[in-house]
Amino acid sequence: MSPALINANPVVYEKKERPVRTRPGDAAFDEYATELIDQLEDPEHPYSLEELKVITEDAVEVDDKRSYVRVTFTPTVEHCSMATIIGLCLRVKLMRSLPSRFKVDIKVAPGTHATEDAVNKQLNDKERVAAALENPNLVDMVDECLTPSFE
Amino acid sequence: MGDSTTINRVIKHIETYVDSSSSTSPSQQDASLDALAKLLLNDIITLELLVREMEMYLTTTDNIIRARGILLLAELLTRLSSKPLENKTIHSLIGFFADRLSDWRALRGALVGCLALMRRKIGVGAISGSDANAVAQSFMQNLQVQSLGQHDRKLCFEILECLIDSYPDTVMSMEEDEFVYVICEAIDGEKDPQCLLLTFRLVERLAQLYPESSTSLASYAEDLFNILGSYFPIHFTHPKGEDDLKREELSRALMLAFASTPLFEPFAIPLLLEKLSSSLPSAKIESLKYLSYCMDNYRGNEIQEQHETLWSSLKDIVLTSAPSSLTVGSGYQDNKVADEALVLVQKLIKQDKDPVSFLKLILKDVDVSMTLNNLSNYSNHDDITVKDKQRLNAVGRILHVSAAASVASCNSIFQSVFSELVNGLQSVMQEKDYASGGPKFGYLYVCVELLAACSTLVKPAEITYHDKETWCTMLHSFGPILTCSFVKTMKESTHDIYTHTVVMGLQILASFPGNFLPVSKSTFEEILVEFTSIIVLKFNNASAWRSVLNALVEIGSLIKKSDDFEKMASFDVIVVERMLALLSSDDLSMPFSLKVEAVSKIGMTNLKYMLKIVQELNTTISTNLQKYWLGGNSKSAEHAMLLLECYVEKVLPWFQNIGDTDNVPMHFALKIWNVIEDNTLFCDSLNEKKLLETAMNGMKHAVASCSEESQSMILDKAFSILSSNMSFQLNESMQRAEFSCREEWIISLFDSVIIALRPKTQGKNTKEILQIIMRALSNGHIPSAHALGSLFNKMPNDMQYFSLEEAMDITFNKYIVRFSNGDGDNEMGVSNLRLSNVNYGLVTSHAIIVGLAWVGKGLLMRGHEKVKDVIKFFLNFLISNGHRPISNGSISSPEDCQDLMSAVADSFSIIMSDSEACLNRNLHATIKPLYKQRLFNMVMPILLSSIVKSDSPMPHKSMMHRALAHVISNTPLSAILGEAKKLIPLMVDGLMILSEDVQNRDIVYNLLLVLSGILTDKNGQEVIVENTHMVIMCLTKLVFYKHMMLVRETAIQCLTAMSELPYASVYRFRLEVLKALSRALDDPKRSVRQEAVRCRQAWASISSRSLHI
């Protein structure tokens, strides 16, 4: 049996309606980056990260010219142990979806998590990310979260 | 009969069927059943003999064998249902089966047997009443229906149904209570939908069987209804795909059962009322439906008692679910609940008996009367709140359905509200203070709703009307005021919703039949006059203009439908004449496109008007054309274009619809030729290419819809004009000369006539026509190429003085030179265009190649052998020019040569693709099926071998690939798949070569689409697997194709599809693909990036989960 849920009863928000683009394609990566990750599934609940307001469009910052992306996410509860997993999912998804020229920074929103610094450090350390992805259990979990975003 | 071999056969069959061991399959058992049935049917054995032979099987103590034996006998009886049998036999058989009902281990056979015997028709020997009684008694004693399996239950219900349907007397003679009780017991707790359908029907039949006064039914009514009522509303908790239909069916059966007897009324009405207040919309709809239906069959006492409750819940439903938009006359398209509620209101009012009246409840209702009293507050449409709009709409609809219910209800509604409404409307009119946007909208709205209700009461078929009825007299006396204020509003209001509402009102007033006295003829005419003046003057307000035009069209078609001659005449004089004057007038203030629209729409209501209008159209077209030709007037050109478009898009299809296809188009075509004949002076600088195109299109369509006789008439006329013109006369010099404007028109229209001819139309001058067209083609006139193709496609095979072969020879000799290369015959000789005159430029050669391509297409479509000559010429041209330069002096520069080659390559696209301009079904082309496949098979081997052999320089090779790509992308995929093995390497090669030139991008895309088609097919995938390396190399290159986003996107999609091929064949390319994709992730187009992400994920996950990024 799975252990008790950290946040058993999260608040679910409506998804933001994005205007459908009639003219396919333009160079702005701004919205595009958000679109890539908002479909990710929460590790605990069958909702997307956008529905849980873990990710919002404002919290994704893209600088196409300097090839830089910064994502700030907000865990649903302060002591959420899933924060690192969520961060890892975000990183993997962006790694797979963005051209390699981008540098990606992933941070927990200031003041929203008990062990903020530790999480930030873990998420932005290349070695640690690589090590985490050697762990088959973790990779399985990440892949599960990513599946809906490829449909 | 009955010799030993037959008996042995019978016994063998019986044993096969009865044998329950696994040695016999169900199909074998069925076969022996069929064989036995055949023996019995053909009287080779008798039933008695069979039963005697089967004795052991029917009576044995082995349960399984006994069950099979009885079932065999029963199934045989089912198959003998139309074979006459003796009464004695039947009697003993039914006795046996009825008795066997007690044998629960062999029940299935007994049930089937009883059913088979009971269903027999009287003529072939049916069971008697006492036998039926025996079955019923045994049934009642022995069977516990609900403890049986689903199929057995179904059989039981069928037996009961059969008893009620076929032996009502027997059932009636039984003890009533007992039978009803048995049924109650049998159906109680049934859950299977199929059985439920039967039980519902059973209850319905039962209720119809017993008279209303029957005590047994009355005493069981409550129990029966309790059983039934628990199923309402029908709702599946686990919906599956096709349940919807079943649900409808069940719901209908249950409704019939509910309504089957008035005895259910006291129980059904409270239940339905309770469900009405349910929050489930489907339950609401169901209860409303049931209530409406039951109303007809119940005595109504209970309903009358419940009137007030009913009204208050109905009112709630309508008030809360009415939409807030106030459009008159339309129901609530998406609001079924409100619709059903209104239907019920109407039904209730129709059933009003004098002392108790549902209508009174409505009229006395506080909400309704408050809304009506406050109408004067709803003055300006924009100021009404959404909630008030909803309320107004609801009250309007309620009044509408109530008034439409019956003459009496209409009378009382008019009496109580109408005069106030009209006064309200009028008072505002007189106050003259409605600068704030017209009269009070509320009055207007309700008035029009009531008028709409009236119009449903008047049926055109009735001759006399109750002119003494209150509503008629009221309408009569208020009619003029109403019309006057409506007209005033229509003219002065600028607000759309006002105009729509009053136009609707006026349309209703004008649509009453002619013999309906309350609305006089003068009113009708006045309305028409007003409408027409709006059409002519108020074209600036587009939406009002449209709604008036639509109203006129509605009125016109209604008159047509009711054959009202008096009104038709008024309409003709007032509307149609005015419209015609509009067309010919020089008044430029009104946009011409609106004029054309109005005229054509009005015309389409009635053939009589249309004929008039068509004449006027013809005249207007010709005057406009004349003006244009003489002075180059661009305004006239525009007008002529609009008129011609209207002709092609509206008038001709309309005539085709009513089945009159000959006269009108013929006159149109002849008229145009006449105009051309009469005008010999053309202005020199006419540059409206589009007008000429439109005229050609019109000519094509007109000629195409004519019959053969009319076509040959038009052809003769056209030919005479053509040959009277000097420059078309056939003298020997083939000088290229510029056509004058008039000549250009004549030859283009002539081409259109030729293109549209039917195959059977006989022309006398085919040879001359051919030569004229060929000369025009030499002048670089492309439509002549279409005409040439059509000519070859349709020329009859059996023409006496001019055969198809002859025509081919003329054409070929004129255009093509054959160099004999010493092999004796010309088979593979190198041929070339005959370009004898140095002045012939590139334009001409181009035109000739296009012309030959169309000839080839024409011949190919009819399946003629000669098409080979054309194809051979093209192929030779493509193949040989790689080796030798054109020896003829005319085209020397390599660029020109290159140009011609590409024209030849593109001619394969002409031959293979479908065209709008000519050679399609509408233009009567002769089409043999599978012609594309035939060409594919003809061309493919030659192109394949020559491409493989060819070591020619790139430009030539690319031309061959271009031709190949045209052929491949236009051939049906199934044909391609058959040859996929040979084609794939070439396609990949072609993609690589063609992608180097920007001009080829459409061809590259089409070819890539074929490749993706192959990739999605199972057989295709097998071929791809053999060539994985090649295909992936090609696709990874196309991922970066600069010139077309679609190519990049499709290439990535193909790669995604390839990731699903067998692991072993694609795994080694994984890194390569991923590398290419990581660059594609930075593509400037969003959709390409998205495809790339998806594709990358697919390829990343074909191996272990390691990311490898």
Side-chain angles (χ1 to χ4, degrees):
Chain A
M1 279 307 289
S2 60
L5 297 180
I6 311 270
N7 179 6
N9 205 3
V11 185
V12 181
Y13 301 86
E14 233 176 80
K15 280 187 165 184
K16 184 182 170 189
E17 284 291 320
R18 292 209 171 68
V20 179
R21 277 162 195 279
T22 45
R23 193 165 46 84
D26 53 59
F29 273 84
D30 254 20
E31 255 175 76
Y32 179 65
T34 323
E35 207 167 283
L36 287 174
I37 48 179
D38 61 13
Q39 295 296 315
L40 301 191
E41 200 169 277
D42 189 275
E44 261 187 17
H45 306 285
Y47 299 112
S48 74
L49 292 183
E50 194 188 12
E51 280 170 312
L52 296 169
K53 286 241 167 132
V54 173
I55 292 289
T56 61
E57 201 168 311
D58 303 331
V60 181
E61 187 188 313
V62 181
D63 190 335
D64 190 19
K65 276 190 199 116
R66 288 172 46 224
S67 300
Y68 178 72
V69 177
R70 193 215 318 255
V71 180
T72 318
F73 69 98
T74 319
T76 49
V77 285
E78 230 177 48
H79 47 274
C80 181
S81 65
M82 296 289 167
T84 42
I85 281 286
I86 294 178
L88 193 60
C89 289
L90 291 174
R91 176 164 291 279
V92 170
K93 171 75 189 188
L94 287 177
M95 272 201 299
R96 287 189 196 172
S97 311
L98 288 180
S100 49
R101 64 187 167 91
F102 279 96
K103 171 167 175 24
V104 182
D105 270 348
I106 296 178
K107 293 230 160 69
V108 180
T112 57
H113 199 268
T115 54
E116 194 182 316
D117 287 340
V119 173
N120 282 344
K121 199 166 186 181
Q122 211 172 352
L123 284 179
N124 293 303
D125 185 335
K126 235 193 261 176
E127 309 278 317
R128 289 206 217 182
V129 170
L133 291 181
E134 296 289 322
N135 179 342
N137 292 336
L138 266 181
V139 174
D140 273 350
M141 200 159 177
V142 168
D143 271 337
E144 209 170 288
C145 296
L146 296 192
T147 337
S149 69
F150 288 110
E151 280 160 6
Chain B
M1 184 195 293
D3 56 68
S4 57
T5 50
T6 321
I7 292 184
N8 283 340
R9 245 163 71 205
V10 169
I11 292 176
K12 204 163 159 229
H13 282 311
I14 296 175
E15 275 172 357
T16 319
Y17 190 84
V18 171
D19 182 9
S20 59
S21 67
S22 57
S23 61
T24 49
S25 69
S27 59
Q28 274 175 321
Q29 296 181 339
D30 282 348
S32 48
L33 179 64
D34 286 337
L36 282 175
K38 209 169 195 179
L39 289 177
L40 285 169
L41 269 179
N42 296 338
D43 282 327
I44 296 173
I45 54 170
T46 60
L47 200 55
E48 286 80 3
L49 180 84
L50 182 80
V51 172
R52 233 174 290 132
E53 289 300 330
M54 284 183 68
E55 186 188 357
M56 188 192 74
Y57 298 107
L58 297 177
T59 53
T60 172
T61 50
D62 183 326
N63 293 327
I64 299 172
I65 290 183
R66 190 172 71 245
R68 291 294 294 176
I70 296 176
L71 186 60
L72 173 60
L73 188 57
E75 291 284 356
L76 283 176
L77 285 173
T78 315
R79 288 173 196 224
L80 298 182
S81 62
S82 52
K83 182 181 165 71
L85 292 177
E86 276 176 50
N87 281 339
K88 204 178 73 188
T89 318
I90 290 178
H91 177 72
S92 54
L93 278 172
I94 192 75
F96 169 72
F97 281 119
D99 182 48
R100 286 289 95 193
L101 285 177
S102 61
D103 179 4
W104 62 271
R105 289 186 184 84
L107 191 59
R108 171 73 59 86
L111 289 172
V112 175
C114 284
L115 200 57
L117 288 169
M118 283 165 69
R119 279 185 176 159
R120 293 180 70 87
K121 300 274 176 322
I122 303 276
V124 290
I127 65 170
S128 66
S130 58
D131 289 336
N133 196 17
V135 174
Q137 292 301 339
S138 168
F139 187 102
M140 289 192 279
Q141 272 168 23
N142 295 317
L143 290 182
Q144 288 286 330
V145 178
Q146 281 306 316
S147 60
L148 301 176
Q150 186 252 352
H151 191 75
D152 289 341
R153 289 208 303 277
K154 200 173 158 201
L155 289 172
C156 288
F157 293 133
E158 278 172 17
I159 289 181
L160 287 174
E161 194 183 9
C162 191
L163 263 179
I164 296 178
D165 281 350
S166 313
Y167 308 97
D169 297 335
T170 314
V171 174
M172 295 299 286
S173 67
M174 279 190 295
E175 274 203 48
E176 283 182 3
D177 281 1
E178 212 176 334
F179 191 69
V180 181
Y181 175 76
V182 164
I183 285 189
C184 277
E185 195 187 48
I187 65 178
D188 191 8
E190 181 58 58
K191 283 197 182 68
D192 179 73
Q194 282 181 11
C195 295
L196 273 179
L197 208 57
L198 282 172
T199 54
F200 293 161
R201 220 180 295 152
L202 203 57
V203 175
E204 186 199 340
R205 297 281 151 75
L206 185 73
Q208 284 163 354
L209 182 66
Y210 287 104
E212 249 175 67
S213 53
S214 142
T215 48
S216 61
L217 194 60
S219 59
Y220 278 108
E222 186 166 5
D223 289 340
L224 262 179
F225 190 80
N226 280 341
I227 295 170
L228 281 186
S230 56
Y231 296 110
F232 180 84
I234 302 280
H235 179 71
F236 287 172
T237 45
H238 300 291
K240 275 178 244 142
E242 75 258 20
D243 285 344
D244 225 28
L245 221 165
K246 233 194 250 166
R247 206 195 70 85
E248 289 285 301
E249 213 179 328
L250 269 177
S251 161
R252 174 144 186 88
L254 183 61
M255 182 161 85
L256 292 178
F258 265 38
S260 57
T261 168
L263 290 172
F264 287 156
E265 185 175 346
F267 317 110
I269 298 292
L271 175 74
L272 292 174
L273 279 177
E274 183 199 318
K275 295 288 175 194
L276 201 55
S277 50
S278 139
S279 59
L280 208 67
S282 68
K284 271 189 191 176
I285 295 178
E286 291 275 279
S287 356
L288 288 169
K289 260 192 205 156
Y290 277 48
L291 276 171
S292 310
Y293 188 81
C294 293
M295 202 86 68
D296 298 332
N297 296 359
Y298 290 174
R299 268 187 242 104
N301 304 336
E302 184 70 23
I303 294 176
Q304 278 164 18
E305 277 169 36
Q306 302 280 2
H307 262 174
E308 291 189 22
T309 348
L310 204 51
W311 164 237
S312 76
S313 43
L314 284 177
K315 189 176 68 179
D316 275 350
I317 289 173
V318 179
L319 278 180
T320 50
S321 52
S324 56
S325 71
L326 293 168
T327 326
V328 180
S330 60
Y332 311 142
Q333 283 89 353
D334 46 347
N335 200 330
K336 267 187 164 167
V337 187
D339 272 344
E340 288 292 338
L342 289 172
V343 169
L344 183 58
V345 168
Q346 198 164 44
K347 257 211 167 130
L348 281 165
I349 293 177
K350 274 187 185 159
Q351 293 217 328
D352 267 351
K353 285 173 217 132
D354 217 10
V356 265
S357 160
F358 194 73
L359 183 61
K360 273 186 197 151
L361 268 181
I362 297 179
L363 289 176
K364 274 189 214 147
D365 185 84
V366 188
D367 283 320
V368 173
S369 48
M370 196 177 74
T371 313
L372 287 177
N373 290 334
N374 289 346
L375 279 183
S376 54
N377 295 346
Y378 305 142
S379 51
N380 194 341
H381 174 266
D382 291 340
D383 298 341
I384 310 176
T385 61
V386 173
K387 214 173 151 213
D388 281 341
K389 273 185 198 167
Q390 212 178 11
R391 171 178 288 255
L392 189 57
N393 190 336
V395 172
R397 294 300 297 166
I398 289 175
L399 285 179
H400 173 92
V401 291
S402 319
S406 68
V407 174
S409 66
C410 190
N411 281 340
S412 43
I413 288 178
F414 263 67
Q415 230 159 13
S416 55
V417 298
F418 196 63
S419 58
E420 232 160 277
L421 285 176
V422 178
N423 284 337
L425 207 58
Q426 202 187 6
S427 68
V428 193
M429 286 291 165
Q430 287 162 350
E431 280 168 21
K432 301 212 176 214
D433 64 346
Y434 60 92
S436 58
K440 313 270 182 190
F441 185 75
Y443 290 121
L444 210 59
Y445 178 74
V446 180
C447 259
V448 176
E449 282 285 6
L450 282 183
L451 281 181
C454 294
S455 69
T456 62
L457 284 179
V458 179
K459 295 190 184 55
E462 284 172 28
I463 303 302
T464 54
Y465 293 104
H466 333 277
D467 290 338
K468 296 291 175 287
E469 295 287 352
T470 322
W471 70 269
C472 294
T473 44
M474 286 182 83
L475 192 59
H476 184 58
S477 57
F478 287 120
I481 304 173
L482 219 51
T483 320
C484 165
S485 50
F486 279 176
V487 166
K488 202 163 175 184
T489 316
M490 178 169 74
K491 278 184 177 163
E492 293 173 11
S493 166
T494 51
H495 205 303
D496 273 355
I497 185 98
Y498 283 82
T499 9
H500 284 302
T501 317
V502 290
V503 167
M504 189 76 190
L506 287 173
Q507 185 197 326
I508 292 167
L509 281 176
S511 306
F512 283 113
N515 48 1
F516 179 72
L517 293 179
V519 180
S520 61
K521 197 182 160 206
S522 64
T523 316
F524 171 73
E525 286 178 353
E526 191 191 335
I527 294 172
L528 287 188
V529 170
E530 295 299 340
F531 274 171
T532 317
S533 72
I534 296 269
I535 291 285
V536 178
L537 298 173
K538 281 211 157 187
F539 41 83
N540 287 330
N541 184 347
S543 91
W545 189 85
R546 285 265 134 69
S547 66
V548 170
L549 182 59
N550 285 341
L552 271 179
V553 170
E554 289 289 317
I555 296 173
S557 38
L558 199 77
I559 294 175
K560 168 84 202 315
K561 239 185 265 163
S562 56
D563 278 333
D564 193 333
F565 291 109
E566 218 173 303
K567 280 194 167 184
M568 215 183 277
S570 327
F571 196 85
D572 198 357
V573 173
I574 299 171
V575 182
V576 179
E577 293 292 334
R578 189 80 192 269
M579 292 291 142
L580 290 183
L582 206 59
L583 260 193
S584 48
S585 81
D586 289 329
D587 173 29
L588 291 179
S589 61
M590 182 172 176
F592 199 75
S593 60
L594 289 184
K595 287 188 193 175
V596 176
E597 186 186 341
V599 170
S600 61
K601 273 197 172 160
I602 298 281
M604 281 188 235
T605 56
N606 196 331
L607 179 59
K608 201 175 128 200
Y609 307 150
M610 192 50 132
L611 288 177
K612 266 187 178 180
I613 283 171
V614 161
Q615 262 186 358
E616 188 66 31
L617 270 180
N618 282 347
T619 332
T620 324
I621 291 177
S622 41
T623 47
N624 274 314
L625 281 179
Q626 267 169 342
K627 270 187 204 162
Y628 166 68
W629 289 335
L630 284 177
N633 187 340
S634 66
K635 200 91 193 166
S636 312
E638 188 192 317
H639 289 184
M641 215 139 82
L642 282 170
L643 289 167
L644 284 167
E645 269 164 17
C646 164
Y647 217 95
V648 172
E649 279 159 22
K650 295 188 180 141
V651 178
L652 285 179
W654 188 81
F655 275 105
Q656 250 159 23
N657 251 351
I658 63 165
D660 180 359
T661 53
D662 208 19
N663 244 328
V664 172
M666 183 186 76
H667 282 298
F668 169 74
L670 287 180
K671 178 95 186 174
I672 298 224
W673 282 110
N674 279 333
V675 182
I676 289 209
E677 191 175 24
D678 294 344
N679 284 272
T680 44
L681 285 173
F682 266 48
C683 176
D684 279 339
S685 55
L686 301 181
N687 41 13
E688 281 288 349
K689 274 271 173 283
K690 225 175 141 213
L691 176 60
L692 180 55
E693 270 165 32
T694 325
M696 281 173 67
N697 196 21
M699 184 60 86
K700 272 184 215 168
H701 278 88
V703 176
S705 53
C706 285
S707 67
E708 275 103 14
E709 292 84 50
S710 321
Q711 280 188 345
S712 45
M713 225 150 92
I714 297 169
L715 185 61
D716 287 347
K717 174 91 188 174
F719 186 71
S720 73
I721 294 172
L722 194 66
S723 45
S724 69
N725 194 314
M726 280 307 284
S727 50
F728 292 117
Q729 279 172 9
L730 300 165
N731 45 12
E732 283 315 302
S733 76
M734 278 221 347
Q735 287 289 340
R736 187 183 140 80
E738 282 289 328
F739 281 137
S740 74
C741 276
R742 180 162 188 261
E743 285 157 4
E744 171 116 23
W745 270 81
I746 292 179
I747 189 73
S748 301
L749 289 178
F750 186 73
D751 289 338
S752 312
V753 173
I754 297 287
I755 287 169
L757 288 183
R758 289 172 191 272
K760 292 219 175 88
T761 306
Q762 293 286 344
K764 292 170 218 132
N765 318 313
T766 317
K767 191 168 179 181
E768 287 81 1
I769 291 174
L770 179 70
Q771 275 165 344
I772 291 173
I773 294 178
M774 275 166 49
R775 272 209 57 201
L777 186 61
S778 310
N779 275 357
H781 192 251
I782 295 295
S784 298
H786 299 170
L788 200 59
S790 302
L791 204 64
F792 276 103
N793 182 251
K794 295 168 190 171
M795 197 186 277
N797 277 325
D798 49 356
M799 241 170 143
Q800 288 163 359
Y801 46 91
F802 188 62
S803 70
L804 190 59
E805 278 71 25
E806 224 175 306
M808 280 300 295
D809 286 345
I810 291 178
T811 319
F812 265 54
N813 289 337
K814 185 157 178 185
Y815 290 142
I816 298 172
V817 187
R818 291 180 192 177
F819 301 100
S820 178
N821 61 351
D823 286 352
D825 61 341
N826 290 339
E827 268 303 299
M828 281 303 286
V830 181
S831 21
N832 203 343
L833 289 183
R834 181 194 290 277
L835 303 167
S836 52
N837 195 315
V838 185
N839 291 337
Y840 276 17
L842 210 52
V843 184
T844 310
S845 334
H846 257 300
I848 290 173
I849 289 173
V850 172
L852 282 173
W854 281 104
V855 170
K857 186 173 172 64
L859 289 172
L860 176 69
M861 283 173 93
R862 72 186 289 176
H864 197 277
E865 280 300 302
K866 281 268 178 183
V867 67
K868 282 196 180 142
D869 292 354
V870 182
I871 302 292
K872 220 172 266 163
F873 164 71
F874 281 142
L875 288 176
N876 279 344
F877 198 102
L878 275 178
I879 295 166
S880 62
N881 274 23
H883 298 293
R884 85 186 68 193
I886 292 174
S887 53
N888 206 302
S890 58
I891 304 165
S892 46
S893 74
E895 289 82 30
D896 290 355
C897 175
Q898 187 69 27
D899 246 27
L900 274 191
M901 290 275 283
S902 73
V904 170
D906 287 342
S907 64
F908 281 97
S909 152
I910 294 179
I911 295 178
M912 288 295 278
S913 58
D914 302 317
S915 164
E916 279 286 299
C918 69
L919 286 178
N920 53 39
R921 284 214 182 277
N922 289 338
L923 297 171
H924 311 298
T926 321
I927 303 178
K928 269 205 176 172
L930 298 181
Y931 73 91
K932 288 184 179 175
Q933 278 89 327
R934 227 172 315 125
L935 185 89
F936 176 76
N937 290 336
M938 194 190 306
V939 171
M940 206 39 68
I942 306 177
L943 271 179
L944 280 184
S945 63
S946 53
I947 290 180
V948 171
K949 263 192 292 183
S950 135
D951 47 356
S952 49
M954 215 23 135
H956 296 299
K957 202 164 179 182
S958 101
M959 284 309 154
M960 276 187 242
H961 270 299
R962 191 157 156 171
L964 182 69
H966 281 309
V967 175
I968 289 179
S969 53
N970 282 305
T971 310
L973 191 61
S974 49
I976 301 278
L977 283 172
E979 299 280 319
K981 210 168 209 159
K982 284 185 227 152
L983 285 180
I984 293 279
L986 277 181
M987 283 171 70
V988 171
D989 212 17
L991 279 172
M992 298 310 291
I993 290 173
L994 292 173
S995 64
E996 270 158 33
D997 194 344
V998 199
Q999 285 175 345
N1000 293 334
R1001 54 187 187 170
D1002 288 325
I1003 308 175
V1004 169
Y1005 181 54
N1006 287 336
L1007 202 54
L1008 190 59
L1009 283 182
V1010 177
L1011 186 66
S1012 75
I1014 297 177
L1015 257 172
T1016 49
D1017 183 90
K1018 205 172 156 293
N1019 296 333
Q1021 280 170 357
E1022 283 164 17
V1023 184
I1024 298 268
V1025 167
E1026 291 163 23
N1027 299 293
T1028 333
H1029 178 71
M1030 198 191 277
V1031 177
I1032 285 193
M1033 286 306 127
C1034 168
L1035 287 175
T1036 44
K1037 267 209 181 128
L1038 287 179
V1039 166
F1040 305 108
Y1041 188 70
K1042 285 199 295 284
H1043 312 298
M1044 203 179 189
M1045 191 263 283
L1046 284 171
V1047 171
R1048 297 200 297 270
E1049 202 180 345
T1050 317
I1052 297 181
Q1053 280 165 348
C1054 287
L1055 278 176
T1056 317
M1058 287 197 72
S1059 73
E1060 278 160 29
L1061 294 182
Y1063 184 79
S1065 61
V1066 291
Y1067 180 71
R1068 54 205 160 111
F1069 305 107
R1070 182 166 159 268
L1071 284 183
E1072 213 158 329
V1073 173
L1074 285 176
K1075 213 167 92 195
L1077 285 172
S1078 71
R1079 270 175 67 207
L1081 286 175
D1082 213 0
D1083 196 276
K1085 297 285 185 183
R1086 186 191 195 86
S1087 51
V1088 179
R1089 294 198 298 261
Q1090 272 163 344
E1091 283 302 332
V1093 169
R1094 216 165 289 154
C1095 183
R1096 198 169 137 101
Q1097 168 71 8
W1099 276 87
S1101 59
I1102 56 171
S1103 71
S1104 69
R1105 288 262 170 76
S1106 84
L1107 295 170
H1108 221 302
I1109 296 171

